[in-house]
């Protein structure tokens, strides 16, 4: 189960706002008390969530200001893929014990297929709009792939540590042309084959995930474990050329049944520039077991 944790200071701010808002009349005070007796979400939206196929659930925090007694309520769920509703997704109700200001609701998205993007909206059963926070929250949910180890392949990055290939674990998403190269930079940076010295960072990406679409290899940006000039603010990330305008994608391609070529642009955000390896030959070669 994935737990979506909220920052404690935001909760404190919410409680302060609800507890100390001034009342100008008896009518306003009555509305104020009624509103603060209910539950609320801290935000109106959450960052994207990825759930496990074996446990396709996640939790969301619900808070309240008045905690002098037990409080329970219902939550309504709407789930759509594009404009089409997806049946079978569920959400639990909420229950606060006396003295409790925060509780959780659990969302289950079992019917969601791998590779699809689900839009979820949750609405609390409050009849009054809270003074802080929101009665409704929205989030985009994906279900992770089932990753199967193919065994040991090789990985080489010309920029990071010359053309020397290193043995790495290769995983494949079951039923999809989607792969992961696990800890690709760990050994090469440890040996510092690229002679980066103090520019080598303490960590690098846990994996590179890539997939094939219309003959082009795609991937999300990843940290190669090198900080330009040794400054953490100058972290070097490998970007797919589609992140930029006017750069060819064609050299991100499969060379044969077991060999994949990546041709990224290595970008340093703080400097707004970097190293262009998007041309023929690229900079990264990956071979499957």
């Amino acid at each position: 189960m994935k737990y979506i944790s909220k920052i404690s200071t935001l909760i404190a701010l919410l409680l302060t706002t609800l507890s100390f808002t001034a009342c100008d009349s008896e009518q306003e005070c009555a509305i104020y008390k009624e509103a603060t007796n209910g539950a609320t979400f801290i935000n109106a939206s959450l960052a994207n969530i990825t759930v496990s196929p074996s446990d396709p659930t996640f939790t969301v925090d619900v808070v309240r200001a008045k905690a002098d007694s037990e409080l329970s309520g219902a939550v309504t769920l709407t789930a759509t893929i594009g404009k089409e509703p997806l049946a079978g997704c569920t959400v639990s109700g909420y229950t606060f014990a006396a003295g409790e200001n925060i509780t959780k609701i659990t969302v289950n998205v079992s019917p969601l297929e791998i590779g699809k993007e689900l839009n979820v909206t949750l609405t609390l059963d409050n009849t009054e709009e809270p003074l802080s926070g929101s009665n409704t929250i929205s989030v985009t949910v994906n279900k992770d792939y089932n990753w199967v180890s193919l065994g040991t392949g090789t990985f080489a990055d010309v920029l990071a540590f010359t053309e020397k290939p290193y043995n790495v674990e290769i995983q494949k998403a079951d039923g999809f042309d989607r792969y992961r190269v696990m800890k690709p930079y760990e050994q090469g940076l440890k040996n510092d084959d690229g002679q980066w010295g103090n520019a080598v960072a303490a960590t690098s990406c846990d994996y590179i995930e890539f997939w094939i679409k219309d003959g082009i290899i795609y991937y999300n940006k990843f940290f190669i474990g090198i900080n330009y000039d040794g400054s953490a603010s100058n972290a070097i990330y490998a970007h797919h050329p589609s992140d930029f305008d006017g750069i060819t994608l064609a050299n991100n391609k499969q060379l044969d049944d077991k060999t994949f070529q990546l041709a990224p642009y290595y970008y340093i955000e703080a400097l707004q520039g970097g190293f262009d390896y998007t041309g023929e030959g690229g900079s990264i070669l990956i071979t499957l077991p």
Side-chain angles (χ1 to χ4, degrees):
M1 177 182 294
K2 183 167 184 178
Y3 170 57
I4 309 304
S5 177
K6 302 300 177 186
I7 302 173
S8 59
T9 53
L10 291 179
I11 298 173
L13 177 61
L14 171 68
L15 300 182
T16 302
T17 302
L18 294 178
S19 299
F20 295 99
T21 300
C23 298
D24 295 328
S25 69
E26 290 184 5
Q27 182 179 9
E28 288 181 356
C29 284
I31 294 174
Y32 167 81
K33 291 177 181 177
E34 183 179 355
T36 57
N37 194 41
T40 184
F41 297 115
I42 295 177
N43 299 310
S45 63
L46 293 175
N48 291 4
I49 295 172
T50 299
V51 298
S52 166
S54 61
D55 183 14
T57 64
F58 62 95
T59 62
V60 180
D61 289 341
V62 181
V63 300
R64 63 173 178 168
K66 293 181 65 177
D68 52 346
S69 61
E70 182 179 320
L71 177 67
S72 296
V75 184
T76 301
L77 177 147
T78 301
T80 59
I81 297 176
K83 296 182 179 180
E84 296 298 320
L86 179 65
C89 298
T90 62
V91 60
S92 66
Y94 61 88
T95 298
F96 294 90
E100 189 175 48
N101 290 108
I102 183 170
T103 189
K104 303 176 185 66
I105 57 174
T106 300
V107 181
N108 188 310
V109 294
S110 293
L112 176 61
E113 296 180 17
I114 292 173
K116 302 290 186 179
E117 189 172 83
L118 182 69
N119 300 308
V120 173
T121 300
L122 305 171
T123 303
L124 299 171
D125 60 351
N126 288 334
T127 58
E128 297 285 345
E129 187 66 26
L131 299 179
S132 183
S134 176
N135 281 339
T136 301
I137 196 167
S138 60
V139 62
T140 299
V141 185
N142 300 275
K143 185 178 286 186
D144 201 2
Y145 296 86
N146 288 303
W147 293 99
V148 178
S149 179
L150 298 180
T152 301
T154 65
F155 176 83
D157 183 326
V158 172
L159 178 68
F161 41 75
T162 71
E163 296 179 2
K164 179 179 179 179
Y166 279 92
N167 291 334
V168 290
E169 180 189 2
I170 306 290
Q171 297 181 353
K172 185 177 186 295
D174 189 22
F176 297 87
D177 285 331
R178 197 175 188 102
Y179 301 87
R180 278 182 175 177
V181 183
M182 307 305 295
K183 298 187 180 301
Y185 291 95
E186 186 174 72
Q187 192 60 46
L189 293 180
K190 181 179 179 180
N191 296 340
D192 195 14
D193 294 329
Q195 299 183 352
W196 288 93
N198 65 0
V200 174
T203 61
S204 57
C205 61
D206 289 331
Y207 57 82
I208 297 170
E209 185 172 326
F210 67 93
W211 59 97
I212 305 167
K213 181 180 179 182
D214 298 328
I216 300 294
I217 295 176
Y218 288 87
Y219 40 88
N220 297 320
K221 71 174 184 179
F222 52 89
F223 180 43
I224 70 170
I226 298 171
N227 296 321
Y228 188 72
D229 282 344
S231 171
S233 63
N234 292 333
I236 302 176
Y237 280 84
H239 282 252
H240 193 271
S242 61
D243 291 345
F244 306 95
D245 294 329
I247 302 180
T248 180
L249 316 183
N251 296 309
N252 293 273
K253 58 188 177 182
Q254 186 169 357
L255 301 182
D256 57 42
D257 288 347
K258 291 190 173 184
T259 309
F260 301 86
Q261 174 181 286
L262 275 56
Y265 190 102
Y266 297 90
Y267 190 67
I268 306 162
E269 185 173 351
L271 302 180
Q272 297 184 351
F275 308 93
D276 187 353
Y277 280 81
T278 61
E280 182 66 32
S283 63
I284 294 174
L285 280 180
I286 300 165
T287 60
L288 302 185

